[in-house]
Amino acid sequence: TNTGLLVDLTAPGGAASRSDPDVPIARRAILSTLSSGADDQATGMGVFVVGERYNRWAGTSMSSPHVAGLAALLFSQRPGLDVEDVRALLRGSARDVGAPGPDAATGMGVADAVAALSAPAPGVRAFFAAPEVGASVAPEEGAVEIGLRIEGEVAGAELAVGGPGLD
């Protein structure tokens, strides 16, 4: 599952309307300055070119620098935050798009700088204690122990696990 964030920006010169049927993936695209050396493959045979100076792209290569910039802005404006606070603010303030909740196509949604900067720091945090991050598990070999650590005041918590082949 993609747990990243999309970015919804319009570059100088303007993006085509979100409802423009001639613009592929207009809803999930970012405009970038068109390289003078861009060939037909890079421009989708001209389909991804906006005006004469911009190329429309989508994906993590386009969104990650914007999300990193928003993280830097959060750290600079709110120096008391730690990495987990910023991660929670980015995810919690994203505008959901596509299917409700996080999904493979749109991750957590569209990064929203105004919402992230104005949201309160999280009062409760949850972390997986087991299996360790990066560990490989093989459920067919028996039970898999899942541990959760919660920081902050919580009245109750529940952990649900699901996915293909899990009932």
Side-chain angles (χ1 to χ4, degrees), residues 22-158:
D22 297 326
V23 178
I25 350 175
R27 187 166 176 222
R28 297 183 353 190
I30 296 171
L31 297 181
S32 175
T33 305
L34 182 62
S35 168
S36 61
D39 61 12
D40 286 343
Q41 184 177 1
T43 66
M45 300 300 285
V47 172
F48 298 117
V49 177
V50 176
E52 295 180 10
R53 299 179 52 201
Y54 299 98
N55 208 26
R56 178 176 291 104
W57 289 103
T60 56
S61 296
M62 294 304 291
S63 62
S64 62
H66 296 281
V67 173
L70 178 50
L73 182 61
L74 282 164
F75 280 122
S76 72
Q77 295 297 307
R78 299 169 70 179
L81 298 176
D82 66 20
V83 172
E84 293 303 325
D85 291 332
V86 169
R87 182 187 324 266
L89 285 169
L90 289 171
R91 289 178 174 174
S93 64
R95 285 182 280 121
D96 195 14
V97 293
D103 54 74
T106 61
M108 298 300 291
V110 177
D112 186 330
V114 172
L117 287 165
S118 59
V124 175
R125 294 193 283 188
F127 305 91
F128 282 103
E132 291 184 29
V133 175
S136 193
V137 295
E140 61 274 359
E141 294 178 7
V144 175
E145 181 180 327
I146 298 175
L148 186 65
R149 180 177 50 114
I150 298 175
E151 294 177 359
E153 208 169 306
V154 179
E158 181 178 321

